[in-house]
Amino acid sequence: MSMPSRWADNPHGYGLVSRALHWGMALMILWQLLTAIVRATAEHGALDNILWGTHVSVGFTIWWLAILRGVWGLANLSRRPPHEGHPLMRGAATLGHVALYALLILEPTLGMLRAFFKGRELVIYGFPILVRGDAPRNAVLGSFVSEAHELLGWSLFVLIAGHIAMALWHHLVRRDGTLRAMTHGSTAPRLRAGI
């Protein structure tokens, strides 16, 4: 039984599932960037105290959605819009997307491992997943994982900025419909009724 085309991807655009995952995760990642910037610039300030409490739960949600999105993307791989242009550009686009998926899974994983190795509580949406003292403290691994989490987090934001820049380049310079495929589900412009 085939899935209705509006839900699944097709060679001309992304279906509703791919678009909902993409834009929903984009909003969550933007939130994570905001919490990281506030933490880096005003740690333990009033705004940080309000926002930072959401960082772990939103990161956990991104982790699950990235896994789901990867599985969904693989299931739709043969139907997805192809990368266009020079083979080098197509390869770079594929590599960039693989790097995004990998970091979207690795980054929250490192965040959870940091709590584990530092012996911290891990509370997700109010539910304790890891209680203080359940995990063996390992200062060396805890510091390494913490540094990796921070470095890869900022690297992920830089990669996302490049992703946005390339989407705008496709839209404004190449005018090839790539951005429309993710916003409207089709690379072709919609015609107004009566025209």
Side-chain angles (χ1 to χ4, degrees), residues 2-3 6 33 124-125 143:
S2 66
M3 192 172 296
R6 72 176 188 268
L33 175 61
I124 297 170
Y125 294 111
S143 293

Side-chain angles (χ1 to χ4, degrees), residues 36-61:
I37 289 171
V38 170
R39 172 55 54 122
T41 58
E43 187 171 358
H44 302 300
L47 188 57
D48 180 54
N49 291 337
I50 294 168
L51 299 181
W52 193 251
T54 66
H55 189 83
V56 172
S57 296
V58 173
F60 182 76
T61 304

Side-chain angles (χ1 to χ4, degrees), residues 54-108:
T54 66
H55 189 83
V56 172
S57 296
V58 173
F60 182 76
T61 304
I62 290 170
W63 184 63
W64 276 109
L65 290 177
I67 292 168
L68 175 64
R69 190 170 170 197
V71 169
W72 180 257
L74 289 173
N76 281 270
L77 194 59
S78 64
R79 293 188 292 265
R80 293 190 135 190
H83 294 298
E84 296 184 9
H86 189 275
L88 189 59
M89 291 296 288
R90 290 196 309 265
T94 299
L95 185 61
H97 283 99
V98 168
L100 278 171
Y101 280 105
L103 284 177
L104 287 169
I105 294 169
L106 181 61
E107 181 61 10

Side-chain angles (χ1 to χ4, degrees), residues 3 5-10 13-26 65 68-77 79-81 101 181-183 185:
M3 192 172 296
S5 63
R6 72 176 188 268
W7 295 100
D9 299 341
N10 65 71
Y14 297 95
L16 288 174
V17 173
S18 291
R19 287 183 282 148
L21 287 169
H22 180 273
W23 294 110
M25 287 177 69
L65 290 177
L68 175 64
R69 190 170 170 197
V71 169
W72 180 257
L74 289 173
N76 281 270
L77 194 59
R79 293 188 292 265
R80 293 190 135 190
Y101 280 105
M182 189 50 84
T183 57

